[in-house]
Amino acid sequence: MLMHQSVRSACSGGGDNDKGLIFNMHLTSLLVSVFLAQLRRCRAADYVCTNGQTTAISVTPDQPAWFQTAGFPNPYPAPSPHCIFTFASPAGYGVKLLFEQFFTDSNDVLQFCLTLQSPSMYCTTLTGDPLDFYKQEFVYRGGQQFVATFFSKLPTVISQSPPFVNSGFRGKAVAYQKSQDASCVASSIQLSNGESDIITSPSYPDTYAQNLNCLWTITASDRFRLVFNEFHTMDSDILTIYDGSGSVLDRLSGDVTKDEPYTLYVEKFAKLQFQSSNSKSTTPGFYATVNAYSSGDSTQTCSTSGNFDLVALGDSGLTISTPDFGSIAYPNNWNCQWTVRNTNVTSAIVAHLWLETEHCCDILEVRGVGKEPLAFRGKEARIYFLWNVMQLEMNFSSDGALSSTGFQMVMKAVDCTCDLMKEIELDANVPSVNINSPGYTTGVGYCNGLQCGWTIRTPSGSSMLISISSLQLRESLLSSDSNFLAIQEQFGRTLANYTSQNNSDAGLPGVHVAGNVAQIMFTSGRYFPSDTVARGFALKATMISLTPTVQVNQSLSDTSVGVPIEQLIDNNTSYMGLWTVRARSGRRIRFYNLGRSNANVQLILLDGPDMTSPTLNSSQANANAVTGKVNPVVSSGEFMTVAYFSQSPNGAARFAALLSDYEDDDYESRCGGFAFVHHSVNSPPTQFEQTSIKNQQCLSVLYAFKDAGASAYTDAMNFNFQNVGESLSVFRGITTDAQFLIANFRPYPANIYGTFATLQFAGNVSLSFQFVALNAGQITLQSEGGVIMSPDYKANGSPQISQIYSWNGNENGLVFNLETHLYSGSLVIESSLYSKTQATITVTSSNDERIINICGTYARITYNSNTANGSGILASYRQSTENLCNFAYTPRCAYLLLFYQLILLCYHCYA
C-alpha cells in the first residue's frame, strides 16, 4: 500500500542528511495576517532546497520523499550559488521524480547529472514552465543514484520592472523498478488539508500495458481536487471515477487535456479505476495531482477592485494585482473584479501582464476583447495592445488548493493621433529638434493605422543631420501593410527607409540631408497581433552649417600609404569636420573605421568630392568597438568625403579612421588584410597573421585605439614578434619612408610610441600587438636584452622629454649599443654591482660612442632631449656573455671561496 507520509510541521525550512526536518518559527515584527496566510498555504515537505547546501535524499519502495524550493509556493530566493539534492534508492531500483508544480525564472535551471563532475552535455535540465505544452517533462527518471543542482545561468541578478517572481518547484521522489512500474498495485491515499500526492498510469510517461485493471482510493478530511495535467489514452481505455456512494463522477478516455488541464472537485472520498483493453497502447496515459483543502472562504479582501477610467489616470495608469504580488503567494478561495474604461475614442489600451498561476484552476478572465473572454493561466509575461476597446471586465478567482505568486497588470491609455504634416523650422536659436513616434515617451508603443509626417526646414546655406537613437518597429504581417520610417530630401528622393529588420537600441548611422529641407514619414500597419508591441522610434534633426570647423583636402601619391583621421571632440562642443581625399589616377578610396569611443559623434561617407555627393553605406563607419582586421567601405571613383559631426555630446568623443588607395581588388588574395585594430586598454592583444605569395611585398597598417584624453607621448603599441617571415620592416606611423624605419631585422622593439605602425613584409608573418600607456617616468627593461626607443624617436615636433630605463642582471654586466647618432640631448648611464656604485657614463652628441660596456648588476639609463624636435634615440642592449667587471671579487665569488674552504676543512678532518 502506497500512503503519503506527512512530516512534522513544515512550511519552509531546510532538510538535512538524516531526513529530519527542523521547523523553527521565530516571530519578530512579522504581521500576523501575513504569517497566517503563509501557514494556511503550508505543504508538508521532507527536504527544502537551501542555498550553499547539499541534501541527501534516500527513497525506498515504501517510503517516498517530497522536496521543494524554500518557502514554496511563495517566491524562492535566488539560487546563489546553488543548492544540491542527491537522490539514492536501493539496489535494483531507480528514482523517479514527479513534479506537482514547476515555476522558475528562465535563467534558473534544475540540472540532473549522474555525478557532480558529469559534463553538462550528459545532463538533463528543467527550467521555466515545463508543464505548459510539454507536460511529459514533468517527470524525470534517473538511475539508482544521481544529483540534482538548482542554479542560475547568470552570474548576477538581472533586474526587471516589475520583477517577475516565481514560486519555484515541488516534487515527489519515488523508488521504482521498470518491470514493476508497468504493473498495477492497489493504492490508498490518505490526505489532510494542505497535503497532496501524485497519481500516474503505469510506466508513465511511456506507454502503458494491455489488459490493466488498476485501483486507487483517495480519502480526505474535507475536500480534494484531482488535476489531470496530462490525460491521453487510447479511446478503448477508460478511467472511471466513483464517489463515496459508488456513483460515477466521470469517465475519461482519449485526449482529454489537449487544450488545458482537466480538474475535478470531490467531497472526502473517491475511487479511481483504470482499465485498458487488449489493444496495444501508443499513448502515455495520465498524470494527476491530488490536493486536499478546506472549503472555507479566503480571509483576504479584494482591496483594489472597482471601476477605473484610464484616460483620467493619465501617464500613471492603473496597476491591479493579487495581494502583495512579489512577496507572498495569493490566497485560496479568492475572487476579485475590476472594470476598466477607456473614454477617449482616439486612445488604445496598453497592458503589461506578469502572471504565474496554476494552469488548471486559478484564472484571470478578461471580457471586452472579442466575442469570447480571454483566460490567462500558467505563466505569462507579455504586453497587450488593445484598439477600439472602450471597456474591460476582469475577474481573478482561485480555488481552495495549491496557489502560486499571482499576477500584476499595469495598464495605460495611449493617444493614437499624430501629426499628418507638421512644419518645423530650425535656425541658430533652435538648431535641433527631437521627433518621436506617438506613445514613445510613455514607453507603451505606437498604435496601428498611423500616417505621420514632419517637414523640417533650415536656413539657406545649411544642411541637416538626422540621427536615430532608437528604432523598435513591429514586423509586418502583410507586405502591403507595412511599418516603416522614411527620410526624404526636398525633391522626394528617399535617403533612408527603415523597417523592423533595422531595429536597434544602440542607435543607427546618421543620415545627411544635403539640402535645407527634410521630410520624415512614419506609417504603422493596420494588422498585427494584439500582443505584438513595439515602442517606435526616437530621432534628432540637427542643423549643420556648410562651413566646417575643420576642412582638409588631400591627394594620395605614390609615396603615401594613407591618410589617418584621429579626432578628439571635447564635451559639449559643436563640431563638424570635412575630409576630402583623392586617390591616384585609376584607383578608388577605401575607408577603414578604426574605432569610435561612443555615439556622440556621427560619421557620413560621401561618394564624391563634397557634401552634395551621394551617401555611401555608413553603418560600418559608425561601429564603436573595432578589433582585428577591418573591412573597407569603397568609393566608386577617385574621391571620397568624410563628414563627421558632434551633436552636443554628454562626454568627450574620440574616433579614428584611415583612408587609403593602396589596397586594390586583388590585395586580399595576395596579402590578406590591409588595416588591423587593437581596441581598448583592457582587451587582450590582437593577433596579426598574414602570408604573402612568394616574392610579393605587402603592407599592413596596425592601429591601437587609445582612450579619449590620453597623452600623445605616453601612448604606445606593445609588440610580441613571433615569426618575421622572409623579411619584415617596421615603420612608425603610416608610411614607408626610410626616415621613419624602426627596425628591419631582429631584435625588434617591444614598444613603439604612437598609435600607428606600418609593416612591410614578405612571407609568413605572425605577431600580436596591443595598446599600452607607458609610464613617462621609468620603464623596467628585460634582463636578457631587447630594444629601447625614446618617445621622441622619429617624431617630429615632439616636446622636451625625460625618460628613465632600469635594468637588472647578473655580474657579467650590460652591453649597450646606440643604434642612432645622438644629435641633441644627453644620455646618462649609472651602474652598480650588488648595490656598490661602479660608474657614471654621460653620452652627448660630441662623444656618442656606439657600443658601451657597463660593469654591474644594475643600470639606470636616463635620456633627456634638452630641446624640442630632437631626433630621439634607438638602442639595443643585451646581458654580456663575458665578465665586464674583470672577474672582480663579488658576493658570488665569496660564496664559492667559502664553499671551497669548507671542502678543504672537511678533507683535513677526515684525513
Side-chain angles (χ1 to χ4, degrees):
M1 180 175 71
L2 178 65
M3 181 177 292
H4 173 70
Q5 300 294 317
S6 172
V7 299
R8 297 183 293 273
S9 299
C11 186
S12 63
D16 58 22
N17 293 346
D18 297 326
K19 205 183 182 214
L21 186 65
I22 302 173
F23 180 62
N24 293 317
M25 185 66 72
H26 178 61
L27 286 177
T28 55
S29 60
L30 289 176
L31 295 174
V32 175
S33 60
V34 173
F35 166 70
L36 292 175
Q38 290 179 327
L39 189 63
R40 186 174 57 254
R41 288 187 293 278
C42 180
R43 302 289 189 273
D46 299 311
Y47 301 98
V48 176
C49 184
T50 304
N51 277 332
Q53 293 189 15
T54 299
T55 303
I57 302 177
S58 297
V59 295
T60 66
D62 296 326
Q63 185 65 55
W66 287 81
F67 58 95
Q68 67 179 45
T69 49
F72 179 88
N74 296 315
Y76 62 85
S80 176
H82 55 247
C83 64
I84 299 174
F85 291 123
T86 61
F87 293 93
S89 59
Y93 286 84
V95 179
K96 180 190 290 188
L97 305 184
L98 308 171
F99 286 93
E100 179 184 34
Q101 188 159 292
F102 198 107
F103 284 131
T104 67
D105 186 271
S106 58
N107 291 305
D108 297 341
V109 175
L110 183 61
Q111 180 173 269
F112 306 103
C113 303
L114 186 61
T115 67
L116 282 173
Q117 290 74 36
S118 298
S120 58
M121 66 181 70
Y122 301 118
C123 301
T124 302
T125 60
L126 278 181
T127 189
D129 182 10
L131 183 60
D132 193 14
F133 303 115
Y134 301 98
K135 302 177 177 63
Q136 293 178 30
E137 292 187 15
F138 243 36
V139 176
Y140 175 77
R141 289 177 296 183
Q144 182 183 355
Q145 56 185 13
F146 58 89
V147 176
T149 305
F150 187 48
F151 65 96
S152 177
K153 293 184 291 185
L154 293 180
T156 56
V157 177
I158 302 298
S159 63
Q160 300 180 24
S161 181
F164 197 130
V165 292
N166 301 269
S167 58
F169 58 80
R170 171 179 160 83
K172 178 182 179 183
V174 298
Y176 80 103
Q177 286 180 317
K178 190 163 186 178
S179 58
Q180 295 181 3
D181 197 43
S183 60
C184 284
V185 177
S187 300
S188 176
I189 299 172
Q190 297 180 1
L191 301 174
S192 299
N193 287 340
E195 295 181 339
S196 55
D197 211 329
I198 298 174
I199 299 173
T200 69
S201 54
S203 299
Y204 182 89
D206 291 339
T207 57
Y208 51 86
Q210 302 159 262
N211 301 311
L212 292 173
N213 187 9
C214 306
L215 290 174
W216 297 267
T217 60
I218 305 171
T219 303
S221 56
D222 191 353
R223 305 187 70 193
F224 65 88
R225 184 189 69 182
L226 266 172
V227 179
F228 292 91
N229 297 305
E230 169 88 2
F231 193 103
H232 191 187
T233 67
M234 306 297 289
D235 291 341
S236 57
D237 304 332
I238 300 173
L239 175 69
T240 305
I241 305 170
Y242 303 90
D243 65 11
S245 65
S247 300
V248 175
L249 293 174
D250 210 340
R251 283 192 175 92
L252 307 177
S253 66
D255 192 358
V256 176
T257 56
K258 181 179 181 180
D259 299 319
E260 60 185 49
Y262 175 75
T263 306
L264 191 67
Y265 295 91
V266 184
E267 295 280 350
K268 294 188 178 181
F269 179 84
K271 181 177 73 172
L272 282 66
Q273 183 177 25
F274 179 60
Q275 295 173 305
S276 62
S277 66
N278 58 4
S279 299
K280 186 176 181 180
S281 172
T282 59
T283 58
F286 57 86
Y287 180 103
T289 57
V290 187
N291 307 99
Y293 65 96
S294 170
S295 57
D297 295 332
S298 169
T299 59
Q300 290 278 359
T301 59
C302 184
S303 59
T304 61
S305 61
N307 294 278
F308 303 94
D309 184 347
L310 283 183
V311 175
L313 291 172
D315 289 343
S316 60
L318 171 68
T319 299
I320 60 175
S321 69
T322 49
D324 297 314
F325 174 76
S327 299
I328 62 173
Y330 56 83
N332 296 321
N333 301 309
W334 196 65
N335 192 287
C336 196
Q337 296 85 31
W338 301 267
T339 299
V340 179
R341 291 175 289 111
N342 175 20
T343 57
N344 188 345
V345 294
T346 64
S347 295
I349 296 177
V350 179
H352 293 237
L353 174 64
W354 295 264
L355 178 137
E356 184 183 286
T357 68
E358 282 194 285
H359 288 80
C360 65
C361 317
D362 303 336
I363 300 170
L364 174 65
E365 187 176 84
V366 180
R367 297 179 179 272
V369 182
K371 296 181 179 179
E372 299 296 328
L374 302 176
F376 298 100
R377 65 184 84 198
K379 193 166 186 175
E380 294 267 357
R382 295 186 184 181
I383 303 176
Y384 292 90
F385 216 101
L386 308 174
W387 301 272
N388 301 321
V389 174
M390 297 293 101
Q391 183 166 302
L392 293 174
E393 300 286 344
M394 292 178 288
N395 179 81
F396 179 76
S397 60
S398 63
D399 65 7
L402 194 63
S403 68
S404 185
T405 56
F407 81 92
Q408 177 170 290
M409 181 182 287
V410 179
M411 309 175 72
K412 293 182 180 180
V414 57
D415 190 1
C416 290
T417 59
C418 70
D419 299 306
L420 181 60
M421 192 53 69
K422 184 176 181 179
E423 297 278 345
I424 300 174
E425 298 283 345
L426 299 181
D427 53 30
N429 295 322
V430 184
S432 64
V433 63
N434 294 309
I435 299 176
N436 304 317
S437 55
Y440 181 87
T441 55
T442 62
V444 298
Y446 58 88
C447 301
N448 64 332
L450 295 175
Q451 294 285 340
C452 307
W454 299 265
T455 298
I456 309 169
R457 301 181 188 275
T458 62
S460 178
S462 62
S463 61
M464 267 176 284
L465 179 68
I466 310 295
S467 303
I468 300 175
S469 59
S470 177
L471 182 75
Q472 290 296 330
L473 303 182
R474 299 184 185 92
E475 285 190 48
S476 301
L477 297 180
L478 304 173
S479 59
S480 59
D481 186 57
S482 60
N483 297 264
F484 68 87
L485 172 68
I487 301 173
Q488 298 177 339
E489 46 100 84
Q490 58 185 325
F491 301 109
R493 182 169 66 99
T494 298
L495 304 176
N497 192 58
Y498 304 98
T499 65
S500 60
Q501 295 182 354
N502 306 109
N503 283 352
S504 172
D505 285 327
L508 295 169
V511 176
H512 176 249
V513 182
N516 65 329
V517 178
Q519 292 183 337
I520 313 296
M521 308 296 296
F522 175 60
T523 299
S524 66
R526 303 192 68 85
Y527 306 105
F528 41 83
S530 63
D531 60 350
T532 303
V533 175
R535 189 174 182 185
F537 69 86
L539 64 80
K540 183 177 184 179
T542 304
M543 183 184 73
I544 297 172
S545 170
L546 292 182
T547 303
T549 309
V550 172
Q551 185 167 4
V552 177
N553 291 280
Q554 192 163 349
S555 296
L556 294 171
S557 65
D558 291 338
T559 60
S560 59
V561 176
V563 176
I565 304 176
E566 284 190 285
Q567 190 66 52
L568 173 64
I569 302 174
D570 293 334
N571 185 27
N572 296 322
T573 299
S574 180
Y575 197 94
M576 174 186 174
L578 207 61
W579 288 68
T580 299
V581 179
R582 183 176 184 177
R584 288 169 287 180
S585 178
R587 290 179 175 257
R588 296 185 292 171
I589 295 294
R590 284 170 163 79
F591 173 92
Y592 301 90
N593 174 20
L594 304 181
R596 186 179 67 158
S597 61
N598 52 53
N600 290 338
V601 63
Q602 289 281 330
L603 279 76
I604 306 294
L605 304 185
L606 303 164
D607 194 15
D610 52 43
M611 292 282 289
T612 62
S613 304
T615 303
L616 292 166
N617 183 357
S618 299
S619 59
Q620 187 172 318
N622 286 283
N624 286 346
V626 179
T627 301
K629 186 173 75 172
V630 183
N631 295 318
V633 178
V634 186
S635 66
S636 62
E638 295 179 1
F639 287 95
M640 181 185 290
T641 299
V642 179
Y644 48 95
F645 313 93
S646 71
Q647 302 173 79
S648 299
N650 296 320
R654 185 178 185 279
F655 73 95
L658 172 66
L659 291 96
S660 175
D661 67 353
Y662 184 84
E663 181 182 354
D664 55 34
D665 294 337
D666 297 327
Y667 193 86
E668 182 78 21
S669 60
R670 290 187 290 109
C671 297
F674 179 70
F676 293 79
V677 177
H678 175 265
H679 185 84
S680 163
V681 175
N682 298 318
S683 62
T686 297
Q687 189 68 23
F688 173 90
E689 293 185 7
Q690 297 297 103
T691 302
S692 68
I693 62 176
K694 191 173 182 180
N695 300 322
Q696 173 71 56
Q697 284 286 330
C698 296
L699 282 182
S700 288
V701 176
L702 309 186
Y703 177 71
F705 191 91
K706 65 180 180 180
D707 288 342
S711 171
Y713 297 102
T714 59
D715 294 344
M717 302 174 71
N718 175 263
F719 287 87
N720 178 16
F721 293 91
Q722 297 142 10
N723 189 355
V724 298
E726 300 170 16
S727 65
L728 173 63
S729 298
V730 181
F731 299 84
R732 179 173 182 167
I734 307 174
T735 183
T736 55
D737 192 323
Q739 67 173 317
F740 297 103
L741 175 66
I742 301 298
N744 54 8
F745 55 85
R746 289 186 185 273
Y748 293 93
N751 299 311
I752 297 178
Y753 287 89
T755 53
F756 279 103
T758 301
L759 306 181
Q760 189 174 44
F761 64 93
N764 184 12
V765 175
S766 62
L767 56 91
S768 63
F769 70 100
Q770 66 185 89
F771 173 88
V772 290
L774 294 179
N775 187 339
Q778 182 166 316
I779 296 175
T780 302
L781 302 177
Q782 295 179 342
S783 60
E784 64 272 16
V787 176
I788 63 175
M789 182 181 72
S790 64
D792 59 342
Y793 179 68
K794 293 188 177 181
N796 293 331
S798 60
Q800 287 184 241
I801 64 164
S802 178
Q803 185 70 60
I804 300 173
Y805 307 91
S806 62
W807 172 86
N808 283 282
N810 62 31
E811 63 271 8
N812 281 350
L814 175 70
V815 177
F816 188 84
N817 185 8
L818 192 60
E819 303 284 352
T820 59
H821 184 70
L822 190 62
Y823 290 98
S824 64
S826 63
L827 194 67
V828 179
I829 304 174
E830 304 166 274
S831 64
S832 61
L833 182 68
Y834 296 110
S835 302
K836 182 179 180 181
T837 301
Q838 291 295 303
T840 300
I841 302 171
T842 301
V843 181
T844 63
S845 59
S846 61
N847 67 338
D848 59 343
E849 302 177 17
R850 295 300 185 205
I851 300 178
I852 304 170
N853 293 323
I854 304 168
C855 168
T857 55
Y858 170 80
R860 174 187 171 98
I861 304 164
T862 304
Y863 166 72
N864 293 291
S865 65
N866 289 349
T867 60
N869 300 320
S871 63
I873 62 165
L874 180 70
S876 61
Y877 65 95
R878 62 178 174 84
Q879 189 163 269
S880 176
T881 57
E882 301 176 354
N883 193 305
L884 300 177
C885 298
N886 298 318
F887 298 96
Y889 184 81
T890 65
R892 180 177 291 186
C893 296
Y895 297 148
L896 289 174
L897 181 60
L898 178 62
F899 182 67
Y900 176 69
Q901 291 173 341
L902 288 173
I903 292 176
L904 289 177
L905 179 63
C906 292
Y907 174 77
H908 289 304
C909 292
Y910 179 75

